[in-house]
Amino acid sequence: MKNFNKLLYLVPFGLLAACGTNSDTAGNTTEIENAIAIRVFDDGTPAAKVRYQVLPSWYVADTAETGAVKYTYEGETDINGWVHIEGHQNGSYTINFTKGDSSIVLQYTLNNLNHEYTLDSASLEAVGTVKGLVDLPDSANYAWVAVQGVSTIVKTDTLGQFVIQKAPCGNLTVSAWDSEDLEAIGQTSASVISNDTTDLGLIENPNKVVPENAIRFMPSDLISDWMRPLSFPTVLVLRLTEENFDFSKAEKDGSDIRLYDGSNNLIPFEIDGWDTTINSATLNIRVESAADTVRPWMLMWGDKKAKKIEDVKVWEGLSDSLISALNSVEVLNFEAGTDLNALPAPLNYNWYVQPHDSATVKNNLDQKPTNGIEKADSTIFGKNMLHVQYQANKLGRYVVIGTRIAAHQHDLSRLDSVEVWLKGSGDFEVFLETIVESDTNYKTSYKGSVNEEWTRVAIKPSDFTNPDKKSYHGWDVTRNKITRFTIFVYNGTDIWIDNVRMYGINLDDLL
């Protein structure tokens, strides 16, 4: 790769090794000559005849080179695993030890103040893999990606994707270069882990111009682990808040919003809620294939002349199971027989039964709530349900069954409904609320009664009680502050509960 070396003023020096090393020293000595001494181990045993290669840390392999790489120093460790290099030149260097599919890479700097580098235990580790995406210039069909200080260079595909196989264990600097004019595109650091794949994400191009009213992001930012493996077509959700979006510069209904892919093509989406009173909005984005998620997207707004885009049927053609997974969250089902709710980690908080104001519960449920788990009496509820026997028939007495559903307050404006199956005797209230260390605990509730038949209670936001300016704040005030789901029961003796689910939201609304 001609002219690379003169461009490498971008390269940082003196990166420390990341894995398999200890007891390294570099400092002043009374000697003038520079020297390094490194001892290499393989599975705890001194490793003899391990090949080493030393190059300047700024070095980048040249794609035009046809001959052998001219290393600054090269050789093998001795019978005790040591390598000694006397009279070493000043500068920052990378030394790469290799033995079969095992390796380790180290960096060190020698100068007039530091004449020695000593490391008495460097362990060979199985090689790893590095992958990522280069932010290609508009004029480039591909880019070169090099590991600095190591004679490794690969070519991206036309989307900018690359994979570096057999990357040495340790801390590396990875640089990307324009294939046309060999200008530097960008660089990043990688800590390569043995027998693992390190994903660098996007190596951004600082020369890319982003308009004032725009944000550029990777589609992968919208893909959570619980969504994998992806099935296409699918729908990704982009949540806009005052932290990532300037609502004052956009139309009040979001009609000027446009979303573009890496090739500047419009991406179809629907606006699923746009509320400037709380600076919150949600876009449901239709994605047809995995290739559409590779390159960065750009969200733009602020064009006063923009016409509102026609509604898009983003959910058309998706399976019922996928639509359900992307639009609902199961909160409680008691199937596991434990006191953890049905949400996945880190949202799997304990559920609880708490009597208040002289109310009582049987079977010691306030201390061990799982005592109330019984076998379900109908196949539609799975194998378990919760049965709470209680006494709370005087004014002000009640029993609370609930669980935390989020670590901090979330905007659940997208909520379509809350579903819970109940039977028993007496009255109940379903609450969505936040409990914080302040004078105000925001809450909204729905009141009802139960009987001896299982009843599916489906509560829409419009069903919640109106605010009373005292204890109940109503849906509009509470919707973006919710952390808990609770059921209050009173004026009865028994309540059976099962299958609590929220529709219209997904797990990312709670994380």
Side-chain angles (χ1 to χ4, degrees), residues 24 46 52 59 68 179 194 227 236 243 255 262 310 339 382 385 411 471:
D24 58 323
Y52 70 85
Y59 174 86
S179 61
S194 175
M227 300 170 66
L236 301 182
E243 295 180 357
S255 58
E310 294 183 4
D339 63 350
M385 60 185 177
D411 179 16
S471 300

Side-chain angles (χ1 to χ4, degrees), residues 18 72 91 122 180 190 228 234 245 280 326 412 431 433 463 506:
T72 308
E180 296 295 324
R228 301 180 188 277
T234 191
F245 184 80
S280 178
L326 295 175
L412 298 189
F431 282 89
E433 60 183 328
D463 297 328
N506 63 39

Side-chain angles (χ1 to χ4, degrees), residues 153-182:
I153 191 165
V154 298
K155 181 180 177 181
T156 72
D157 63 15
T158 56
L159 296 175
Q161 300 175 106
F162 67 90
V163 177
I164 301 172
Q165 304 284 0
K166 296 186 177 181
C169 176
N171 279 358
L172 305 174
T173 297
V174 178
S175 298
W177 302 83
D178 190 330
S179 61
E180 296 295 324
D181 55 18
L182 301 185

Side-chain angles (χ1 to χ4, degrees), residues 182-196:
L182 301 185
E183 293 269 343
I185 294 175
Q187 67 179 30
T188 189
S189 297
S191 182
V192 180
I193 301 173
S194 175
N195 279 327
D196 201 359

